[in-house]
Amino acid sequence: MDLTWSADEDAFRAECRAWLAEHAPNPPLPSGDTAEGFALHMEWERKLYADRWAVVSWPTEHGGRGASLWEWLIFEEEYYRAGAPQRVTQNGIFLLAPSIYEFGTQAQQDYYLPRMAAGEDLWCQGWSEPNAGSDLAGLTSKAVRDDEAGGWRLHGQKTWTTRGAFCTHLFGLFRTDPDSTRHHGLTYLLVPLDIDGVTVRGFGRLDGDEGFAEVFFDGAFVPDGDGDPAAGGVLGEVNGGWGVAMATTSSERGLTLRSPGRFTAATARLVQLYRERGGSVDDPGVRDAVAQAWIDAEAYALYTLSDVTGIVEGRSPGARSSLNKIFWSELDVRLHEAALRLLGGESELVEWGPDGQRVENPWLKGYQFSLSGPIYAGTNEIQRNIVAERVLGLPRK
Amino acid sequence: MRFAFTQDQLDFAEAVSDLLAKECDPAAVRVAWENDTGRVPGLWSRLVEMGVVGLLAPEGVGGLGMGEIDLVRIVYEAGRAALPEPLSTIAGVVVPAVRDHANTADAERFLSDVCAGTSTIALGLAANPLVVGAAGAAMFVLEADDGLHLVDPDVVEITPEQSVDGSRRVSRVNWNPSSATLMCGPSGAAEALDRAATFTAAELCGLADTMLTLTTGYVAERKQFGVPIGSFQAIKHHCANAMLAVEFAKPLVWRAAYSLTQRDPDASLHASMAKAAASDAADVVGRIAMQCHGGIGYTVEYDLHLYLKRAWSLISQDGSAASHRRRVADRVLG
Ligand SMILES: Cc1cc2nc3c(=O)[nH]c(=O)nc-3n(C[C@H](O)[C@H](O)[C@H](O)COP(=O)(O)OP(=O)(O)OC[C@H]3O[C@@H](n4cnc5c(N)ncnc54)[C@H](O)[C@@H]3O)c2cc1C
C-alpha cells in the first residue's frame, strides 16, 4: 500500500491546478442544460480542448495527453476543486468513447473521437423509451434493413434523452432482428440528429432546466458504417448491440462518470457552508450530518483508489460497479440534504447569496439534480438487484 | 499510488484464516463461551508461533518489527472467525504502547513474555468502562487523566461482570494512578485509542462479512412459497444494503492502519472515520442478517448469534460511531 503520488504525478497536478486557476470561469457558468448556458459551456469545452485538457486520458492523436488512470483521477480532483463547469460533453467522452475504443473500427475511432473531444460533435444517449426504462431489453425502436441503400431505416421513439435538444448525434439501441426478443437482435447505432426523419423535442426537467428531449425516428436512414463514418453507422456487430451497450453502462455506473473529486469538492464546500451557517441554524443534528457526508466522500474516494489499483493491475470491477453507483448517488443526496438543512428557511430560494453577488442557489439546484442520481444510469433498485444476483450470487428466480 | 495489500500481507492473512477455519470454527467459539477462560484452548500459542501476537514488537524481543498495515488484515480475519482471543488489543494496542513508552527494562521483559506467549497484558482505555481478560493478566495498561500507566495486577481490584457475548470475560477495574506507574502522557493514550479504534473496526468488518456470508448462504437454501427466499427482491435488497455498508467501511479501515504505520498527522482522524463507518456497518449488517434469517436467527442453536453478540460489544468499544463522528466533526468543522 502506498498512498503517495510520484513526483511526476505531483507535477501533473500542479500543471492542472495552474491552468484551471487561470481559466476556470468565475463566476461559474449558468447551467449547461439550458439553451444560453449550453453555448457558454461549448466555449469552455473548446478552451479545454485547445489546451488538451478535454480528454486527458486519451492518446495524443485523439486530442488527449495519454495520461494514466491515476493522472485522470488527479485531473478530475483538480477540476472539481477549481469549481470548473459540469461537462456537457460527458455522454460522449465518458460513456460512448470507451465503447468506441473497445468496439469501433479504426475509421470510426479516428473520425469520431477527436471531433467528440473538440466539442464538434455532441452526443446524447438513446436508451430509454416511453415503455422501456428499467426494462431496457423491452425496447421497441427498430432499424429496418434497407439492402438497396446498404443500411437501416429507423422507426420509434427515445425519451429522457439528456441534452438531446442541444446535441448533434445520438448513440442508442435499436431492434434490428424483427424476430428477436429481449436483449437479442439489438444493434448499437450511431446517428446524426440532423438527418431527415429525425425530430427532437426538448422538454423541461424538474430542476427547471430544459435538459430532456424526446427523439422521434420516422424512416431516418443510417448506413452500415463501413463507409464514411460521418453518416453514422453500426458500432460493433449487427444484432450484437446489447454487449456494446453494457460496456457503456458499466462506464456510467463505475468511476468514469462520477469521479470522487466531484464529491470531495462538494463536501469541502459543504464544510465551508457549515462554518458560515452552522452556528446560527437551529438544527442540532446537522453537524453530524455534515461530518457523515464528509466521511462518505472520503470512503468513496478510497474505494475508487482500490478500484483503480485493481484496474491498473488487470482486475476488472465487473458487476461491482453497481455498488459504486448506489453509493455515489445516495451520498450525493445526503450531502445536499445536509446543505439544505444549513440553509434552513432560505433553502427554497432559487437565487441566493450576498447582495450584489446573487447566483442560482447551487445547493437547491444540486439537491434537485441529486434526486435523479438514484434514477438515471439504471435505478438503484435495479443496481441492488445486480449486486444481489451477480455479486452475492442470490438466485434470480 | 497503490491502494491494495501486498501479496505478502494477503498470504499472511490467509495463513491465519486457514488456521482459524480449523481451530476457531463456531464449535470452538461455543467452547470458549462455556469454559473458564473464554478462550480457545491452545489457540493463542499457535498465533504466537505464527508471529501474529508480536507482529508490532521489535525483533530483538521476539517480534516481527512490522507495522499496523501488516496486522490489520489479520485482525479482520480474527473478526471473521469471531476469535475469542485478545489479539487486537494485545498485538495492536498494548504491544506498540509498551514498545514506544515503557522504560527499556520493562519493555524488554514484558514484550519478550508477550511475544513468547507466556503472559498477556490487559488494556483499560478511558473510553471503555470494561476491561477484557483482566483475570490472569500479568500486567495492565490502564488509562488515567494523565496518560497510560503500566500497572501490576497486585494493585488492581477486579470486579467481574457478565457480557452478552459469553466468550468475552469483562471486568470493572479499580486502581490508584501514581507517578510511579505512569508510562506516557495523554498523547500516548490518544495514540492507543486510535490503534484500538482501528483494529476494532477491522474486527467489525470481519464480523459483518461473516454475518453477510451466513445470510447469503441461508437465503439461497431456505425455501418458502416453493422458491428460495433469496429470490425475493426484499431479501435481495437487504443483502445488497449489507454489502454496501461493509464494502465502503473497509477502505476507511485499511487507510487508518496505513496512516498509523506512516505516522500520518491525520491518523487519528482516519481512525475515527474507520470506527464510525465500521460500527455503523456492523450494526446494519447484523440487523439485516437477523431479519433475513427469520426465526432461526433468533436462536442460540444457530451460529449467527455468536457473531452478532461480538459485534454488539465491539460497536461501542473504543468509542461508538457517534463519538467518532463527533471527533471527525471537531477536526474537520472546527
Ligand atoms: C436526469 C435524468 C437523465 C436521464 N438521461 C437519460 C439519457 O440521457 N438517455 C436515456 O436513455 N435515458 C435517460 N434517463 C432515463 C433513465 O435511464 C430512466 O429513467 C431509468 O432507467 C428508469 O426508467 P423509467 O423512468 O422508465 O422508470 P421505470 O423503469 O418505470 O421505474 C419506475 C420505478 O420502478 C422501479 N422498478 C422498475 N423495474 C424494477 C425491478 N425489476 N425491480 C425493482 N424495481 C423496479 C424503478 O426502480 C423505479 O423506482 C434519464 C433519467 C433522468 C432522471
Side-chain angles (χ1 to χ4, degrees):
Chain A
M1 200 166 286
D2 172 12
L3 301 186
T4 57
W5 299 106
S6 70
D8 283 353
E9 286 160 343
D10 281 337
F12 179 79
R13 183 187 295 279
E15 198 187 343
C16 300
R17 188 173 291 188
W19 189 87
L20 287 161
E22 195 181 334
H23 295 93
N26 192 8
L29 301 183
S31 166
D33 294 349
T34 63
E36 84 277 13
F38 187 75
L40 294 170
H41 279 262
M42 288 317 300
E43 247 173 63
W44 166 246
E45 286 293 335
R46 282 188 282 269
K47 209 181 274 180
L48 282 171
Y49 180 72
D51 288 350
R52 289 195 308 123
W53 294 109
V55 284
V56 292
S57 60
W58 294 13
T60 43
E61 65 268 27
H62 295 146
R65 296 175 171 245
S68 70
L69 205 42
W70 294 120
E71 288 170 329
W72 175 77
L73 270 184
I74 291 170
F75 171 76
E76 288 278 305
E77 213 173 282
E78 291 301 319
Y79 190 89
Y80 286 105
R81 195 180 154 275
Q86 64 173 133
R87 300 298 301 275
V88 293
T89 51
Q90 68 171 29
N91 285 357
I93 61 174
F94 292 150
L95 304 184
L96 173 60
S99 298
I100 291 191
Y101 275 116
E102 194 174 342
F103 299 95
T105 62
Q106 193 63 50
Q108 285 175 325
Q109 294 184 14
D110 293 343
Y111 178 79
Y112 290 125
L113 293 168
R115 295 177 59 83
M116 184 188 295
E120 287 169 46
D121 296 340
L122 271 150
W123 290 86
C124 58
Q125 171 167 265
W127 300 149
S128 309
E129 300 180 0
N131 291 314
S134 299
D135 186 13
L136 180 59
L139 63 85
T140 55
S141 286
K142 57 186 179 184
V144 180
R145 186 69 202 160
D146 183 340
D147 267 331
E148 212 164 297
W152 306 88
R153 299 230 167 248
L154 311 186
H155 299 272
Q157 181 192 347
K158 298 291 178 180
T159 192
W160 317 125
T161 318
T162 293
R163 284 183 290 278
F166 316 128
C167 284
T168 59
H169 289 70
L170 170 144
F171 59 93
L173 281 181
F174 294 81
R175 195 164 292 286
T176 34
D177 177 354
D179 301 325
S180 67
T181 56
R182 310 295 302 155
H183 49 282
H184 304 287
L186 301 173
T187 298
Y188 194 121
L189 292 176
L190 306 174
V191 188
L193 288 174
D194 61 356
I195 58 177
D196 286 347
V198 177
T199 313
V200 180
R201 183 186 80 85
F203 60 101
R205 289 196 327 201
L206 171 134
D207 60 8
D209 288 350
E210 305 141 39
F212 275 147
E214 297 175 293
V215 184
F216 300 89
F217 301 93
D218 185 15
F221 177 78
V222 175
D224 284 324
D226 37 14
D228 178 8
V234 175
L235 181 65
E237 302 287 322
V238 171
N239 295 334
W242 186 258
V244 186
M246 288 306 105
T248 303
T249 58
S250 88
S251 300
E252 190 172 18
R253 287 164 197 167
L255 57 99
T256 52
L257 186 65
R258 295 287 179 258
S259 69
R262 180 178 174 123
F263 304 105
T264 47
T267 43
R269 281 192 276 276
L270 177 64
V271 165
Q272 196 51 44
L273 185 70
Y274 179 86
R275 291 197 177 128
E276 288 157 17
R277 304 184 63 111
S280 54
V281 64
D282 183 13
D283 183 342
V286 75
R287 187 175 166 86
D288 208 43
V290 173
Q292 186 61 53
W294 198 83
I295 294 172
D296 287 345
E298 286 274 308
Y300 184 60
L302 290 165
Y303 187 91
T304 305
L305 292 182
S306 85
D307 250 11
V308 172
T309 301
I311 293 168
V312 167
E313 295 176 0
R315 297 184 298 272
S316 148
R320 287 176 66 100
S321 64
S322 291
L323 285 170
N324 287 42
K325 198 265 157 163
I326 301 169
F327 194 82
W328 63 246
S329 58
E330 295 179 1
L331 150 64
D332 204 29
V333 175
R334 288 194 296 273
L335 90 84
H336 283 95
E337 263 167 0
L340 293 194
R341 285 167 68 178
L342 286 167
L343 297 193
E346 291 180 10
S347 62
E348 70 181 296
L349 291 177
V350 173
E351 285 189 357
W352 177 74
D355 280 342
Q357 303 168 39
R358 285 161 69 101
V359 289
E360 184 173 42
N361 179 348
W363 297 111
L364 175 62
K365 182 88 180 180
Y367 173 67
Q368 294 180 77
F369 185 63
S370 77
L371 293 179
S372 69
I375 300 171
Y376 66 77
T379 71
N380 285 9
E381 286 74 23
I382 298 295
Q383 304 309 319
R384 284 181 163 87
N385 292 349
I386 293 173
V387 169
E389 292 168 8
R390 297 202 217 143
V391 185
L392 292 171
L394 296 192
R396 284 191 186 207
K397 283 270 155 23
Chain B
M1 181 66 64
R2 181 174 190 276
F3 192 46
F5 290 101
T6 63
Q7 196 55 48
D8 282 351
Q9 288 161 346
L10 293 173
D11 290 346
F12 202 165
E14 198 184 323
V16 173
S17 161
D18 289 347
L19 171 73
L20 298 183
K22 284 199 267 313
E23 307 293 332
C24 188
D25 61 358
V29 176
R30 286 174 186 278
V31 168
W33 271 60
E34 302 303 330
N35 69 17
D36 288 346
T37 59
R39 301 176 62 178
V40 181
L43 186 50
W44 190 249
S45 58
R46 302 290 299 275
L47 293 166
V48 165
E49 278 163 31
M50 290 183 80
V52 172
V53 175
L55 206 135
L56 298 189
E59 293 180 36
V61 295
L64 295 181
M66 292 182 169
E68 286 84 350
I69 191 65
D70 302 297
L71 181 62
V72 71
R73 185 86 194 183
I74 292 170
V75 169
Y76 160 82
E77 292 296 343
R80 280 208 323 139
L83 174 72
E85 301 288 333
L87 181 68
S88 68
T89 39
I90 292 186
V93 188
V94 169
V95 164
V98 172
R99 175 194 70 193
D100 295 346
H101 302 298
N103 66 53
T104 322
D106 279 353
E108 204 154 295
R109 178 165 136 238
F110 292 121
L111 290 181
S112 303
D113 287 353
V114 167
C115 291
T118 49
S119 67
T120 60
I121 301 176
L123 176 70
L125 292 178
N128 302 322
L130 302 168
V131 170
V132 181
M139 280 308 272
F140 284 82
V141 169
L142 298 173
E143 182 179 353
D145 290 344
D146 57 350
L148 292 180
H149 292 250
L150 190 58
V151 187
D152 198 278
D154 291 349
V155 296
V156 178
E157 184 192 322
I158 300 171
T159 315
E161 297 268 14
Q162 196 179 351
S163 169
V164 66
D165 174 352
S167 69
R168 270 170 70 92
R169 301 306 153 84
V170 294
S171 312
R172 293 181 193 279
V173 297
N174 196 7
W175 61 294
N176 286 316
S178 79
S179 58
T181 55
L182 187 67
M183 185 169 75
C184 62
S187 70
E191 209 173 68
L193 179 63
D194 294 340
R195 288 203 184 89
T198 300
F199 288 114
T200 300
E203 264 188 281
L204 283 165
C205 288
L207 287 158
D209 264 351
T210 296
M211 292 192 283
L212 177 57
T213 306
L214 280 174
T215 305
T216 52
Y218 182 76
V219 302
E221 292 295 319
R222 165 77 174 170
K223 286 192 174 157
Q224 286 293 279
F225 303 95
V227 294
I229 56 171
S231 65
F232 298 130
Q233 196 170 60
I235 298 288
K236 284 182 181 165
H237 286 194
H238 277 321
C239 292
N241 285 335
M243 183 172 200
L244 208 58
V246 63
E247 288 307 304
F248 282 89
K250 281 180 194 168
L252 290 167
V253 179
W254 309 151
R255 195 263 302 261
Y258 173 83
S259 297
L260 285 166
T261 313
Q262 300 294 319
R263 303 204 158 255
D264 187 303
D266 282 333
S268 183
L269 173 65
H270 296 165
S272 284
M273 290 163 71
K275 183 60 166 59
S279 284
D280 281 345
D283 178 43
V284 165
V285 176
R287 275 192 284 161
I288 287 172
M290 274 284 285
Q291 187 64 21
C292 291
H293 275 86
I296 197 162
Y298 202 73
T299 67
V300 292
E301 270 88 48
Y302 188 74
D303 292 334
L304 177 63
H305 86 109
L306 302 173
Y307 305 92
L308 189 58
K309 289 171 180 168
R310 178 71 54 78
W312 289 346
S313 321
L314 297 186
I315 280 170
S316 52
Q317 185 182 296
D318 307 315
S320 64
S323 79
H324 282 286
R325 248 192 320 271
R326 183 187 55 72
R327 283 162 47 115
V328 171
D330 291 347
R331 246 330 250 285
V332 175
L333 305 180

